Amino acid sequence: MQRQLANMKQSLFDQLEELQDDANPNFVEEVVTLYYRDSARLVQNIDKALEKNPVDFVKLDSYMHQFKGSSSSIGAKKVKIECTQFREYCRVGNGEGCKKTFQQVKREYATLRKKLEAYFQFARQVGPVEKACRRK
Amino acid sequence: MSTKIATTETQFHVLAVDDSIIDRKLIERLLKTSSYQVTAVESGVKALEFLGLLDDQYSNTNSNSNSPSTTRINNHHHVEVNLIITDYSMPAVTGYDLLRKIKESRLLKDIPVVIMSSENVPSRINSCLEQGAEEFFLKPVQLSDVNKLRPHLMRGKGKENKAFINKRKPTEECLSPDRIKNKIQ
C-alpha cells in the first residue's frame, strides 16, 4: 500500500513530494488545499469574464496566467498545456476560441481534482504514520 | 536524522516575493529545506516596504504620525537580508521594478537578486540580467535551482550587506510620490 501511495504521489506531484519530510509531513496536502481554493476561485472568475460582452481579454489573460502558474507549480502538466492554448486565443482576442478551449481546460482540471481526491482518500486510509515520506 | 544548520554556520536570510500564495509556499519550503531563514511577502510594494525603500508617506503603518522617522525605528527591529528572490510578473511593482530599485539603492545594491518567472522570454531574461539580477529561474522552481543560490550568498557575506532595513531614509531612495499614489489603490 505504501508503494502504491508513493507512486500516486510521484505521478501527481513530481517535485512537490520531495519537499515533504518528517518535519513537514503535511506539506503536499497543504499546498494542494491552497491550490483547490485558489484554482476554484480563478475558474469561477474566468467563467464570469467569458460571459461578459464585450470580453475583457486583458483581465481574462491575467486570470489564466495565475491559474496556469499555480497548476504548473503543483505539477499539473495537462492542465498547463490547455491553459497555454487558451492564452493563445486570448492574445488574438478570439472569444469563441477562448470559450471552446476553456471547456478543455475545465475537463483536465476536473480529472486532476478527481485524482487529487483519490490520492487524499487513499492517504488517509494508509494512515499518517505510514505515509511514504522522503527522508533527507 | 535530518540535517539542519551546522552550529558554526550563520544562517542566511532570504526575502522571497511572489503574489501567488502557492508559489510563495513552495519557495519558502524550498529555501527552508536549504536551511535558509525566510521572509515571504506577497507583493513588490510589501517588499519595498520591508526593505525600507518605500516613502513612509504612503506606507500603512504610520497614518497618524507627524514624525514617521522616529515611529518607524521604534516599531521595527533591524533585519539583515542576504538575498532577494522575486517573481517577475506582479501587479503594481513588478520583479523588474523591485530589482531596479534595489540596484539604485546605495545601501542595498550589493544584495544579490534572483528573478523567477513562469514564462521563458529571452528579452525579459536578458534585461533582468543586465539590470543586475544574479540568476533567472524558470518556474516551477526546483531544489536544484535553489542550490545555485549558495555561491551568491557566500560571496555576499564578506561585504557590508547589513542594510538596516526599515530605518528611515531621506527622500533620495523612494519611488516618486505620483507613481506610488497610482499604484497603491
Side-chain angles (χ1 to χ4, degrees):
Chain A
M1 250 187 151
Q2 253 188 57
R3 166 72 64 95
Q4 218 175 329
L5 187 64
N7 287 340
M8 276 175 96
K9 249 205 245 191
Q10 193 139 50
S11 73
L12 270 177
F13 302 124
D14 227 11
Q15 299 278 334
L16 207 61
E17 55 121 0
E18 275 182 356
L19 298 174
Q20 184 156 299
D21 60 16
D22 298 335
N24 302 273
N26 300 314
F27 181 71
V28 176
E29 186 160 354
E30 285 166 15
V31 176
V32 172
T33 307
L34 280 174
Y35 175 71
Y36 265 174
R37 269 190 251 142
D38 199 50
S39 56
R41 175 185 60 91
L42 288 164
V43 167
Q44 215 175 30
N45 287 344
I46 294 170
D47 266 329
K48 281 200 199 126
L50 281 170
E51 279 165 29
K52 289 217 165 96
N53 199 358
V55 174
D56 182 346
F57 288 103
V58 174
K59 215 178 217 177
L60 208 49
D61 191 59
S62 168
Y63 288 143
M64 185 46 86
H65 173 82
Q66 294 174 58
F67 181 71
K68 182 184 167 198
S70 19
S71 303
S72 164
S73 291
I74 69 151
K77 297 191 175 96
K78 289 190 181 157
V79 172
K80 182 185 173 181
I81 289 170
E82 299 300 336
C83 290
T84 308
Q85 285 264 53
F86 181 94
R87 292 188 81 196
E88 302 284 287
Y89 285 110
C90 228
R91 295 237 167 96
V92 297
N94 183 338
E96 282 313 305
C98 284
K99 285 179 185 154
K100 280 208 193 101
T101 323
F102 196 53
Q103 295 313 310
Q104 282 159 236
V105 171
K106 283 200 275 192
R107 258 197 296 274
E108 287 300 339
Y109 177 63
T111 307
L112 175 72
R113 282 188 80 118
K114 283 210 195 86
K115 279 195 194 157
L116 291 172
E117 268 143 42
Y119 162 74
F120 284 122
Q121 266 187 12
F122 196 67
R124 272 173 211 132
Q125 277 180 0
V126 173
V129 178
E130 295 164 56
K131 260 195 214 169
C133 292
R134 278 278 166 87
R135 298 206 173 269
K136 286 251 188 94
Chain B
M1 190 181 90
S2 52
T3 323
K4 296 293 172 189
I5 325 136
T7 42
T8 48
E9 215 177 290
T10 331
Q11 239 189 336
F12 290 119
H13 179 210
V14 179
L15 175 66
V17 192
D18 202 313
D19 60 331
S20 156
I21 188 170
I22 286 145
D23 289 344
R24 225 166 29 248
K25 191 165 176 77
L26 283 174
I27 194 69
E28 190 171 8
R29 186 86 281 278
L30 280 167
L31 291 166
K32 285 188 171 163
T33 295
S34 309
S35 304
Y36 301 132
Q37 216 186 319
V38 186
T39 300
V41 298
E42 63 191 4
S43 71
V45 176
K46 290 250 161 79
L48 289 171
E49 202 168 28
F50 184 83
L51 295 166
L53 290 176
L54 202 61
D55 190 332
D56 280 315
Q57 198 182 348
Y58 297 95
S59 70
N60 292 328
T61 48
N62 298 308
S63 40
N64 301 323
S65 176
N66 284 326
S67 51
S69 53
T70 17
T71 331
R72 238 353 175 133
I73 292 172
N74 289 339
N75 280 345
H76 301 280
H77 53 276
H78 297 152
V79 188
E80 182 179 337
V81 173
N82 304 114
L83 185 134
I84 297 158
I85 183 163
T86 176
D87 187 26
Y88 182 93
S89 316
M90 296 185 295
V93 177
T94 67
Y96 183 82
D97 294 328
L98 188 57
L99 167 67
R100 235 188 48 236
K101 274 292 138 196
I102 292 163
K103 293 304 167 186
E104 282 169 9
S105 157
R106 206 176 7 99
L107 265 180
L108 305 179
K109 64 181 169 59
D110 289 328
I111 301 180
V113 181
V114 171
I115 311 279
M116 308 177 278
S117 177
S118 54
E119 291 169 313
N120 190 347
V121 182
S123 57
R124 175 185 293 187
I125 298 173
N126 284 330
S127 53
C128 286
L129 295 174
E130 271 167 31
Q131 192 60 227
E134 306 290 340
E135 301 269 357
F136 192 101
F137 293 159
L138 281 177
K139 285 181 173 181
V141 178
Q142 320 278 348
L143 205 51
S144 53
D145 293 314
V146 175
N147 291 338
K148 293 181 194 164
L149 298 177
R150 196 156 281 268
H152 299 296
L153 284 157
M154 298 303 300
R155 195 170 44 238
K157 247 321 173 178
K159 298 186 184 172
E160 272 316 302
N161 276 342
K162 277 199 207 316
F164 286 103
I165 313 293
N166 296 322
K167 186 175 176 177
R168 165 75 171 171
K169 276 191 287 295
T171 46
E172 51 166 311
E173 281 161 338
C174 304
L175 283 173
S176 80
D178 287 337
R179 234 181 124 194
I180 288 289
K181 235 191 278 196
N182 290 333
K183 283 177 174 180
I184 303 179
Q185 293 287 351

